[in-house]
Amino acid sequence: MLGSPILLKSLLLSAAAFCASTTAGPTTASTTKKVCTNYKIPVTISSTNLVFAHPFRDNYDVADFVTIADSRDEGARADVINGTTTLSGSYTIGATFCTPATGQSDAHKSTVLLATHGLLFDRTYWDPALNKTRYSFVDWSINQGYSVFYYDRLGVGESSKVSGYVAQLNDQVEILTALTKLVKAGNYVGNLGQPKAVVLVGHSFGSNLAVQTAANDLNIADGLILTGYSFDQRYQNPGGTAAAVGFRIAKTLSPQKWGDLDTGYLVPVDQYPIATTYFKEPDYEKSAIEYTNANKQPVGIIEVLTSTIPNTFPNGYTGVVMILTGQYDFIFCTSLCTDEILTNSAAPIFKDAKAFTAKAYPGASHGLNLAANAAGSFKLITDFLSANGL
Ligand SMILES: *[C@@H]1O[C@H](CO)[C@@H](O)[C@H](O)[C@H]1NC(C)=O
Ligand SMILES: *[C@@H]1O[C@H](CO)[C@@H](O)[C@H](O)[C@H]1NC(C)=O
């Protein structure tokens, strides 16, 4: 969100190397006619990473970072990043695969929706411990007969912990690329076997990861569902978001939860900056904002800097593409998205897509799955996919 001016767009990604074994966790059957399996997936990746020049000593440094991020002084902004370095590492990724249970419609179960959450969340963004009818993308999709694979990004949830100065676009893309290839080959999908189709579904930074993953390999997925996202950089709001989001060093807010993380991991100080940046009155239940605050996940500062704009674009992508972003999205549209804004910025990139649509979703801001009318947005997604043979 913050740092589009300092993005180094010409980074070369090194080739991903990965290996994996099948380690299945407990299999659980929930009350909603789904069979879910939890996995811990080993991945080995290599990526070209940005280096954060001045690690935060304390929250005064974070405060000054906002001053710099909003500065008219391009030199000051550029000084935030000091070159690149090669990261090579082996990590464990926590993931869940759910598929319709016996007795449930399974018309689309061989289409796997591979979902990547955005900043502030972990994989439970797709299946929060709230009213499932209203907020669970997983349950909605299962009820339409789809299978869903969703995972914790590196650094959060059950995935490996890393430095907050390490987690960022390029390494997260290599992980998404590795996971997508594994799922396409029929790994970590219960008894499904090789899926007929894999669709990358993202929210916010997770959408940027899907975009970059497709840009690196145009054939990697049959569809892209980009929620909480826009390609129109004119209306993205990095400065406003930096000012409004109220970041504090995570471990200073809760040594119990985050004491083992370094100062590169930040969280909004309380629920009110989350309300400003992710929600829009009256389109929420206060309980959803309180839940988001209580379950907020730390965000790496370079993840923030690389969250809105990919290094390269998936020009020539031929799968199906949907962009679905809240009408009042604060971060990507400065509180005013329209179908035209979302469409015009993306149509040239996706002129070869089998199907393309872009929609500003009425009432919602950035936190689409926790908006009061989240289920309506889930319906648009599965309607679009089934109308296009997925
Ligand atoms: C940037 O990186 C170089 C090479 O590692 C180092 O010598 C220099 O001190 C760094 N500059 C800053 C401002 O961190
Ligand atoms: C859960 O959400 C559904 C759909 O919005 C709604 O009809 C129902 O009343 C909600 N249940 C509770 C307990 O709030």
Side-chain angles (χ1 to χ4, degrees):
M1 352 182 220
L2 319 186
S4 47
I6 61 144
L7 282 174
L8 307 182
K9 293 185 199 167
S10 58
L11 291 179
L12 293 175
L13 284 167
S14 59
F18 69 91
C19 62
S21 69
T22 48
T23 313
T27 297
T28 53
S30 90
T31 51
T32 55
K33 296 160 281 175
K34 59 184 178 182
V35 179
C36 296
T37 310
N38 295 319
Y39 295 107
K40 296 279 178 62
I41 304 175
V43 295
T44 296
I45 58 151
S46 171
S47 71
T48 301
N49 279 9
L50 302 179
V51 177
F52 199 69
H54 309 285
F56 302 127
R57 292 163 299 185
D58 55 27
N59 281 318
Y60 288 100
D61 281 354
V62 176
D64 192 58
F65 175 81
V66 178
T67 309
I68 292 167
D70 279 10
S71 176
R72 293 191 296 115
D73 181 347
E74 279 181 34
R77 294 201 310 269
D79 185 48
V80 164
I81 294 295
N82 185 17
T84 64
T85 187
T86 301
L87 174 80
S88 297
S90 295
Y91 305 105
T92 299
I93 300 299
T96 301
F97 173 76
C98 295
T99 196
T102 309
Q104 162 74 39
S105 157
D106 62 359
H108 306 280
K109 77 169 180 184
S110 199
T111 295
V112 176
L113 310 183
L114 198 170
T116 306
H117 62 84
L119 299 180
L120 197 63
F121 301 98
D122 60 18
R123 72 182 188 256
T124 60
Y125 174 77
W126 305 106
D127 187 32
L130 289 168
N131 182 342
K132 302 277 185 186
T133 312
R134 182 170 290 209
Y135 297 112
S136 175
F137 174 78
V138 172
D139 281 11
W140 174 273
S141 302
I142 292 288
N143 283 321
Q144 310 312 307
Y146 287 89
S147 296
V148 187
F149 176 99
Y150 55 116
Y151 71 99
D152 293 322
R153 280 199 336 266
L154 180 65
V156 303
E158 293 183 338
S159 292
S160 299
K161 300 286 179 276
V162 294
S163 165
Y165 302 108
V166 164
Q168 54 187 277
L169 176 71
N170 288 354
D171 48 34
Q172 302 284 10
V173 163
E174 294 308 326
I175 289 170
L176 176 54
T177 301
L179 294 175
T180 306
K181 289 177 177 174
L182 286 165
V183 166
K184 276 178 82 165
N187 300 295
Y188 306 111
V189 289
N191 300 322
L192 184 69
Q194 193 169 0
K196 280 205 201 96
V198 175
V199 175
L200 301 184
V201 181
H203 173 242
S204 188
F205 181 46
S207 295
N208 206 37
L209 297 179
V211 166
Q212 186 64 59
T213 296
N216 292 350
D217 179 354
L218 292 176
N219 297 313
I220 197 159
D222 301 276
L224 301 175
I225 303 292
L226 310 173
T227 75
Y229 195 76
S230 169
F231 286 93
D232 196 329
Q233 294 173 32
R234 292 174 303 167
Y235 299 127
Q236 291 179 358
N237 189 19
T241 303
V245 78
F247 275 145
R248 300 288 183 275
I249 294 169
K251 69 176 176 180
T252 68
L253 274 193
S254 175
Q256 290 74 25
K257 280 188 195 169
W258 300 311
D260 55 342
L261 300 180
D262 68 19
T263 61
Y265 273 112
L266 310 176
V267 282
V269 63
D270 62 26
Q271 70 269 41
Y272 300 109
I274 292 174
T276 299
T277 51
Y278 282 73
F279 292 86
K280 180 73 185 92
E281 275 191 340
D283 190 54
Y284 58 74
E285 296 180 301
K286 284 180 183 160
S287 57
I289 300 182
E290 283 155 16
Y291 170 88
T292 302
N293 185 51
N295 295 285
K296 64 191 172 192
Q297 299 295 318
V299 304
I301 183 61
I302 310 180
E303 292 187 302
V304 173
L305 296 173
T306 57
S307 60
T308 56
I309 306 171
N311 306 317
T312 54
F313 293 88
N315 294 300
Y317 182 73
T318 56
V320 307
V321 180
M322 172 182 238
I323 299 172
L324 185 60
T325 300
Q327 174 187 7
Y328 298 113
D329 192 302
F330 181 85
I331 297 172
F332 278 81
C333 294
T334 318
S335 306
L336 181 56
C337 271
T338 63
D339 294 355
E340 291 70 28
I341 287 169
L342 297 173
T343 300
N344 294 344
S345 53
I349 299 168
F350 295 117
K351 63 180 167 28
D352 301 321
K354 186 178 164 202
F356 170 73
T357 186
K359 175 106 189 112
Y361 189 63
S365 178
H366 189 62
L368 216 54
N369 287 16
L370 293 150
N373 53 358
S377 69
F378 306 154
K379 180 173 184 339
L380 292 179
I381 292 169
T382 52
D383 283 356
F384 173 73
L385 292 174
S386 68
N388 287 290
L390 291 171

